[in-house]
């Protein structure tokens, strides 16, 4: 097996980093997942807004970088937004990072990005590591239509209600979860969503990376998933398509005909239930004649 190269033998030359707010993705575990462009931005930044300045200081140190760091967690995002806008108006470069992965994806930073956008100032994404995308890649489940649901509520009642609201979705669902809550979450998912195929990915890109796949009801009792350590992503496959019955179609048509023409009602119901429009149009005429 050949040894990995220390550095690419050739790489595109760096470009000048223009003033603006840069949302910089950082490694989720493996430090070599830092992109060259992210390093360019952090090296040029006049200010780096960080979820935890201690974590980001270690990251910068690993690459021999130094930068002015300011906190930007849930409690400090308002002040961070003011600082960012002030610096950007002066023509400076501001970078925003979370502790790991892509900023704003279940991480602080939205308040800053929204405020900067509202002021008409430039905002640029610097893509890179993402636990959401990494988990989707290795889950072995459909990834053409995906709904990211973030963290579920911590208590069973709230978690069950949230899952009930997602039950009818026909996309693959993605959740973030913590180790201590994983078993309870999987149990509630199995109870509400049924034995859908799923995957639990943890420690992505790290030494003990693991992906456990199987039906939700089996994963809920798998001893490997009893309070594991590390950051966790749960990917749940879409539910089976349920064919609408004639009674369902009639009920939907009757409701739609209250406010729509016969043709529009047939079109709306056909789209919603996945049924033939011509058949529904004829049925709508019959219902109107009753």
């Amino acid at each position: 097996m050949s040894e990995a190269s220390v550095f690419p033998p050739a790489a595109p030359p760096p470009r000048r980093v223009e003033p603006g707010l840069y949302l910089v993705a950082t490694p989720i575990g493996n430090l070599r997942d830092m992109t060259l462009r992210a390093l360019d931005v952090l090296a040029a930044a006049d200010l780096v807004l960080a979820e935890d300045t201690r974590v980001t200081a270690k990251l910068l140190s690993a690459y021999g970088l130094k930068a002015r760091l300011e906190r930007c967690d849930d409690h400090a995002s308002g002040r961070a937004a003011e600082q960012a806008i002030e610096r950007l108006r002066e023509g400076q470069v501001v970078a925003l990072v979370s502790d790991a992965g892509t900023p704003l994806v279940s991480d602080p930073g939205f308040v800053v990005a929204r405020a900067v956008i509202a002021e008409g100032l430039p905002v640029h994404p610097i893509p890179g590591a993402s636990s959401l995308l990494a988990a989707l890649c290795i889950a072995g489940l459909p990834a053409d239509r995906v709904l990211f649901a973030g963290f579920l509520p911590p208590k069973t009642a709230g978690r069950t209600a949230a899952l009930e609201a997602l039950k009818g979705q026909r996309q693959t669902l993605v959740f973030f979860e913590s180790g201590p809550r994983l078993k309870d979450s999987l149990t509630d998912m199995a109870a509400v969503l049924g034995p859908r195929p799923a995957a639990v990915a943890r420690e992505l890109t790290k030494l003990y990376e693991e992906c456990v796949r199987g039906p939700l009801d089996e994963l809920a009792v798998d001893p490997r998933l009893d309070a594991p350590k590390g950051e966790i992503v749960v990917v749940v496959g879409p539910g089976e398509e349920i064919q609408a019955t004639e009674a369902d179609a009639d009920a939907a048509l009757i409701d739609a005909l209250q406010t729509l023409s016969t043709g529009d009602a047939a079109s709306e119901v056909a789209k919603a239930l996945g049924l033939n429009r011509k058949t529904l149009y004829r049925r709508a005429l019959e219902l109107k004649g009753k």
Side-chain angles (χ1 to χ4, degrees):
M1 183 174 66
S2 61
E3 294 184 1
S5 62
V6 176
F7 199 74
R15 295 182 179 178
R16 171 181 163 80
V17 180
E18 299 294 336
L21 174 66
Y22 292 82
L23 309 177
V24 181
T26 56
I28 59 176
N30 191 318
L31 284 175
R32 290 189 66 82
D33 287 337
M34 195 73 170
T35 70
L36 297 177
R37 189 166 174 232
L39 292 174
D40 290 341
V41 170
L42 292 177
D46 299 290
L47 174 66
V48 176
L49 300 174
E51 181 180 0
D52 186 326
T53 56
R54 296 165 298 181
V55 172
T56 301
K58 292 179 181 178
L59 175 70
L60 295 176
S61 177
Y63 294 104
L65 300 176
K66 293 182 179 180
R68 178 178 175 80
L69 291 171
E70 293 289 346
R71 187 162 59 99
C72 180
D73 56 17
D74 289 329
H75 304 291
S77 56
R79 172 59 183 152
E82 294 174 359
Q83 288 181 295
I85 291 170
E86 181 180 341
R87 294 292 188 114
L88 294 175
R89 284 176 175 162
E90 295 173 356
Q92 298 187 16
V93 173
V94 179
L96 187 151
V97 301
S98 60
D99 288 349
T102 303
L104 280 65
V105 182
S106 280
D107 274 316
F110 173 68
V111 171
V112 176
R114 181 173 60 179
V116 171
I117 291 169
E119 291 294 320
L121 296 166
V123 179
H124 306 286
I126 306 297
S130 165
S131 59
L132 188 161
L133 295 177
L136 273 173
C137 289
I138 64 172
L141 296 168
D144 54 336
R145 298 179 65 206
V146 177
L147 191 155
F148 173 58
F151 285 94
L152 287 167
K155 299 296 179 65
T156 293
R159 193 160 50 227
T160 299
L163 289 167
E164 286 287 354
L166 296 169
K167 187 176 181 179
Q169 300 293 331
R170 294 291 172 251
Q171 304 104 318
T172 290
L173 305 176
V174 184
F175 305 93
F176 286 166
E177 194 49 277
S178 66
R181 296 202 316 237
L182 178 62
K183 186 177 181 65
D184 289 340
S185 285
L186 290 172
T187 299
D188 290 338
M189 288 179 193
V192 175
L193 303 177
R196 296 189 190 185
V200 177
R202 71 179 196 90
E203 295 289 84
L204 289 165
T205 78
K206 300 179 184 178
L207 180 62
Y208 297 106
E209 178 179 282
E210 180 180 41
C211 185
V212 183
R213 306 171 184 86
L216 277 172
D217 55 340
E218 293 183 11
L219 293 177
V221 295
D222 192 314
R224 291 173 293 178
L225 303 178
D226 190 1
K229 295 180 180 180
E231 299 295 325
I232 296 163
V233 184
V234 181
V235 184
V236 181
E240 295 182 1
E241 195 75 37
I242 300 174
Q243 186 65 39
T245 64
E246 290 184 9
D248 294 331
D250 281 357
L253 284 171
I254 291 170
D255 182 61
L257 287 168
Q258 301 297 315
T259 56
L260 299 174
S261 67
T262 304
D264 288 344
S267 296
E268 288 297 314
V269 174
K271 187 186 302 181
L273 300 183
L275 299 176
N276 182 271
R277 183 191 177 280
K278 290 183 178 180
T279 301
L280 290 171
Y281 182 76
R282 291 194 295 268
R283 181 56 180 160
L285 290 174
E286 292 175 0
L287 290 171
K288 288 188 71 173
K290 288 184 178 180

